[in-house]
Amino acid sequence: LCAHPRWDAMALVNTHTCVGLLTTIFCLNVFGENQPMFWRERNRGMSVFSFFQSKTSLNLVDLWMQCFLFTSLYYGIRVIHVPFLNYWVPYLLTTYAASGWGYAISAWLPAQHGPFVGSLIIFVVCGLLGNPMSLTQFLANPMLEAVVDIISITRWSIPMSFYLEIETYPPTPDGIEEEMTLGLYKAAYSAASWPSCEYGHWWPAFIILILYGLTLRVIAYLGLLFKNRDKMV
């Protein structure tokens, strides 16, 4: 683990994808369990919005603790020199965005399909579309860039962590191989035409990931509101 430089973007791909996957699978139970009871109470006049708000707000406490434990353990193992609170923010945003997938999947799909669909989605939107080895090709095409910008979580969260590390402690590559690798990472995460190049990598990603999570929560709420209206348990 520690043989790789601290700025290694592939380590960030693995950890952000891991956080996203664990969060999504964990959140499937928020609306996936006791569905017949929910359908019965909803059809008898229960406020779906109040139910949604109470479940997601309480779940945020669990997500906050899980993200803190994961990030702090990795932070200690890797001996990261960046201030912890700054380092934690991209993982919190990944958690917030990925939890939206868990809510939306559990609200719209049968519970037995949740783990498979959730795993597939996270491996694409986090693992594949945030990988610097393939990201440059995606961002070189305006249409593909738009798709990646809209659906990928780590396309935004990993540059936050990567540039935080190399701007706080400028790296000194050990040999030509590390120098070429660092250049590849910088090229990949700077290839976008908007908005990072003009406004930096922190605040645009922060705002977009918040909106990402909010959008998925709206989709989940609509699923709770309209899905299985004919279920009279």
Side-chain angles (χ1 to χ4, degrees):
L1 180 64
C2 294
H4 299 282
R6 296 185 181 91
W7 47 262
D8 185 16
M10 292 307 299
L12 295 173
V13 172
N14 293 334
T15 53
H16 281 253
T17 302
C18 185
V19 168
L21 180 60
L22 291 173
T23 300
T24 299
I25 298 300
F26 177 75
C27 289
L28 291 175
N29 284 331
V30 174
F31 301 121
E33 63 180 3
N34 298 323
Q35 287 183 337
M37 183 181 299
F38 166 73
W39 297 332
R40 181 189 67 198
E41 298 302 320
R42 179 193 60 190
N43 294 341
R44 291 181 178 178
M46 181 186 70
S47 172
V48 177
F49 182 74
S50 298
F51 174 80
F52 175 82
Q53 282 291 88
S54 62
K55 295 282 281 186
T56 55
S57 297
L58 186 60
N59 185 243
L60 276 178
V61 179
D62 294 331
L63 295 179
W64 180 86
M65 291 189 296
Q66 290 179 9
C67 182
F68 175 81
L69 289 174
F70 182 97
T71 310
S72 59
L73 286 172
Y74 182 75
Y75 183 90
I77 292 172
R78 287 284 282 180
V79 195
I80 305 296
H81 293 157
V82 174
F84 176 75
L85 290 180
N86 294 344
Y87 190 79
W88 187 27
V89 169
Y91 287 92
L92 276 176
L93 292 171
T94 299
T95 298
Y96 182 76
S99 63
W101 278 115
Y103 300 151
I105 292 169
S106 63
W108 282 97
L109 297 180
Q112 63 269 26
H113 300 323
F116 172 76
V117 175
S119 300
L120 184 62
I121 288 174
I122 292 302
F123 278 123
V124 172
V125 302
C126 288
L128 176 62
L129 298 183
N131 192 319
M133 301 303 177
S134 55
L135 190 60
T136 305
Q137 300 175 11
F138 295 139
L139 298 183
N141 183 303
M143 186 172 295
L144 288 178
E145 179 184 357
V147 173
V148 172
D149 287 345
I150 292 170
I151 69 172
S152 177
I153 296 175
T154 52
R155 176 262 178 275
W156 301 106
S157 64
I158 290 178
M160 293 177 73
S161 297
F162 176 72
Y163 279 98
L164 176 66
E165 176 69 38
I166 67 173
E167 289 174 1
T168 304
Y169 292 96
T172 53
D174 185 12
I176 187 65
E177 182 177 353
E178 284 195 3
E179 186 173 347
M180 293 178 62
T181 301
L182 179 61
L184 186 150
Y185 293 160
K186 288 182 177 180
Y189 293 128
S190 300
S193 59
W194 75 278
S196 299
C197 295
E198 184 177 354
Y199 299 105
H201 295 272
W202 190 265
W203 289 112
F206 189 99
I207 294 170
I208 288 171
L209 288 175
I210 292 294
L211 294 175
Y212 190 113
L214 286 174
T215 301
L216 288 173
R217 281 160 171 76
V218 171
I219 293 172
Y221 171 70
L222 294 176
L224 293 176
L225 195 61
F226 297 113
K227 185 70 173 176
N228 296 314
R229 294 295 298 183
D230 58 334
K231 296 288 185 180
M232 299 295 293
V233 182

